[in-house]
Amino acid sequence: MILRKFVTAIAVIFGALLAGTALAAPGAVGEVSLVIGLARLSAGSGQGAVVARGMPVHAGDRIETEQGGHVHLRFSDGGFVSVRPGSRLVIEAYHLDPAHPAENSIRFTLERGVLRSITGKAAEADHDRFRLNTPLAAIGVRGTDFVVQSADNLVRATVHSGAIVLAPLGEGCSVAGLGPCKTAAARTLSADMGQVMLEFSGQQGVPRVLPINGLAPPDRTVPPAPEEPRGAAPRRSETRNEEVLAAKLAASPPGAAIVTPPVVTPDPLPPTPVVTPDPVLPPPPVVVVEPPPPPPKPTLVWGRWAGSALAGDTMTISYAEAKAAGLKATVGDGNYVLMRPESGVAYLPTNLGRADFTLLQSFAYLQRGTLTDTAKVDSAWLSVDFGVRQYATGITVSHATTGGVTLKSSGSVRDDGMFGSYSPAGNYVVGAVSLNGKEAGYYFNALVPGGAINGLTVWGR
């Protein structure tokens, strides 16, 4: 034990001496601002050292933390990186030119473990000059605070603020590139999308957006050190819903009156009997019924993050249109987001009882790789018990190549009206209700051989 402590002490002293040497070396791009536990730095020149606070870092350096070890890095443009326990980060490139932002180049590789990145001024000036690679996928940013986990054949990411674009490495997405990859398999994750995360594995064709409920996001898998900056506080979604007005029938007009002919006065010479004609019956009263007005459009709206609508999609609008209309994002995936109106209401009441909803709008499609084809929603049901905060739903969708596919989901409803569940098989539902309990909407994903059937729903009652 004494020998082990002696060796550790010598290593720390040796690392500090190397750090002092590195401080004088040119070309530093940042420095170590915090060290907890044991971590090692391997320089591009081949030198190795125990990481110490104040040690400068350079392009080409590799930082590796032991279990229980944390390293925080501050870069020259104000960017921040937290390398959490059991992780290995490589600073592949770090070149800054404040006078010419288009010449900047920042590229990291997270070979394994968990990393948090808060981008600095360089990435804010030009998002296309920043890249974080993992062995499986590339991540570009849009002015962002995000956390990434890279494990065996798996990448998971969450966003505290801003947005990221995650794309599988391969054709059209090179490890040597910068910025977000613009391939068909790229998926966006924004802090506005709520309590969801991006996941990609080697068995998937494209990354998936999954609800965090019941899963282990990077912050739970490897929690941050207490000294790590706090992430953006989660925001409660709010909503305002107008009441649906009942249609009224127009009043019926009065019927026609009974027509009575005049009485015939008899002639005195000779007397003539009075002839009384049969009474004329009035026509039946005419009842005019106005057709009921069309039901009001739902206040919950599905927005598209980018691009035009798919074939058969008549229910989505662009995210920019929804945002301009004062709507606020709740849940969604990398393609769609469910938007609600802003409101002063913050919580879902518990006195709304149990409600069965009717499907108002739906759109479903089969996705295999980058190919999509319209599918058909055959039947669906949704029930919400607001008192105990539980939901249950079932939906059957069909396509010529898959036949009927049924997805069932149940679980809890949060105070802010959001809900969702994820099955071990990879199927999931993620949605939200309006905070007056009148409407609901959810996105669903049902895996089929070679792909998945995805879809959007909007419900009312």
Side-chain angles (χ1 to χ4, degrees):
M1 179 63 72
I2 294 174
L3 177 61
R4 182 179 179 183
K5 290 184 177 179
F6 175 75
V7 171
T8 301
I10 292 296
V12 172
I13 293 170
F14 179 67
L17 290 174
L18 284 180
T21 303
L23 281 170
V29 299
E31 69 172 15
V32 177
S33 59
L34 174 76
V35 179
I36 298 175
L38 184 62
R40 293 184 297 273
L41 183 147
S42 301
S45 62
Q47 287 183 312
V50 174
V51 177
R53 183 177 180 183
M55 175 184 290
V57 293
H58 304 75
D61 287 353
R62 174 184 280 104
I63 296 166
E64 186 169 2
T65 56
E66 298 290 340
Q67 293 302 322
H70 293 257
V71 173
H72 291 180
L73 305 175
R74 284 287 180 185
F75 289 91
S76 55
D77 71 334
F80 169 85
V81 168
S82 167
V83 187
R84 295 187 183 167
S87 303
R88 186 164 61 224
L89 168 71
V90 181
I91 305 172
E92 301 282 0
Y94 207 101
H95 172 74
L96 299 181
D97 187 346
H100 303 92
E103 301 298 322
N104 294 340
S105 59
I106 300 174
R107 184 167 60 248
F108 301 127
T109 296
L110 178 63
E111 294 182 341
R112 60 175 169 81
V114 175
L115 172 147
R116 179 181 175 191
S117 171
I118 303 176
T119 53
K121 294 180 181 178
E124 292 173 0
D126 190 344
H127 301 155
D128 289 336
R129 307 305 297 173
F130 177 96
R131 167 74 72 80
L132 172 67
N133 289 325
T134 73
L136 289 179
I139 296 176
V141 301
R142 296 175 182 170
T144 308
D145 176 355
F146 67 102
V147 184
V148 178
Q149 175 190 4
S150 177
D152 292 339
N153 206 33
L154 178 71
V155 178
R156 283 179 171 175
T158 57
V159 177
H160 290 303
S161 65
I164 63 172
V165 178
L166 188 150
L169 290 170
E171 186 176 354
C173 187
S174 166
V175 294
L178 291 172
C181 289
K182 299 177 181 179
T183 60
R187 292 293 180 266
T188 299
L189 180 68
S190 166
D192 289 339
M193 294 168 67
Q195 298 298 307
V196 294
M197 69 178 178
L198 268 174
E199 179 185 270
F200 176 71
S201 69
Q203 286 75 37
Q204 298 169 213
V206 296
R208 299 183 298 172
V209 177
L210 305 175
I212 289 178
N213 289 346
L215 297 178
D219 275 329
R220 292 183 195 165
T221 303
V222 183
E227 294 82 359
E228 187 170 311
R230 287 182 171 270
R235 295 174 293 174
R236 292 188 177 274
S237 297
E238 299 171 347
T239 188
R240 178 184 61 218
N241 242 335
E242 297 178 355
E243 295 292 336
V244 179
L245 299 178
K248 296 183 178 180
L249 296 178
S252 301
I258 296 177
V259 179
T260 305
V263 176
V264 179
T265 304
D267 192 342
L269 293 174
T272 305
V274 176
V275 178
T276 303
D278 294 332
V280 178
L281 297 177
V286 178
V287 179
V288 179
V289 179
E290 294 289 344
K297 291 184 177 180
T299 62
L300 296 184
V301 176
W302 283 98
R304 301 186 303 274
W305 286 112
S308 57
L310 296 176
D313 174 12
T314 61
M315 63 182 288
T316 68
I317 62 176
S318 71
Y319 174 76
E321 291 178 89
K323 196 73 173 176
L327 302 179
K328 189 173 182 180
T330 59
V331 299
D333 76 332
N335 295 318
Y336 302 101
V337 57
L338 183 62
M339 309 288 287
R340 297 190 304 197
E342 298 277 4
S343 172
V345 179
Y347 299 97
L348 188 66
T350 58
N351 62 350
L352 300 178
R354 180 184 176 280
D356 293 323
F357 286 79
T358 300
L359 185 63
L360 302 179
Q361 295 177 332
S362 64
F363 169 62
Y365 59 97
L366 172 66
Q367 181 159 0
R368 284 182 168 142
T370 59
L371 301 178
T372 60
D373 191 22
T374 305
K376 180 176 177 292
V377 175
D378 298 315
S379 62
W381 59 271
L382 171 65
S383 178
V384 178
D385 191 327
F386 294 97
V388 297
R389 291 286 199 267
Q390 293 289 314
Y391 82 95
T393 187
I395 188 166
T396 299
V397 186
S398 61
H399 185 270
T401 62
T402 65
V405 176
T406 298
L407 174 65
K408 293 184 179 180
S409 172
S410 62
S412 60
V413 180
R414 299 188 338 183
D415 287 345
D416 59 7
M418 298 188 196
F419 61 86
S421 69
Y422 174 79
S423 74
N427 300 327
Y428 64 89
V429 163
V430 57
V433 298
S434 60
L435 294 186
N436 64 359
K438 296 290 186 180
E439 296 177 31
Y442 66 72
Y443 177 91
F444 63 88
N445 178 89
L447 296 182
V448 296
I453 290 184
N454 304 313
L456 316 171
T457 63
V458 174
W459 307 72
R461 67 184 182 96

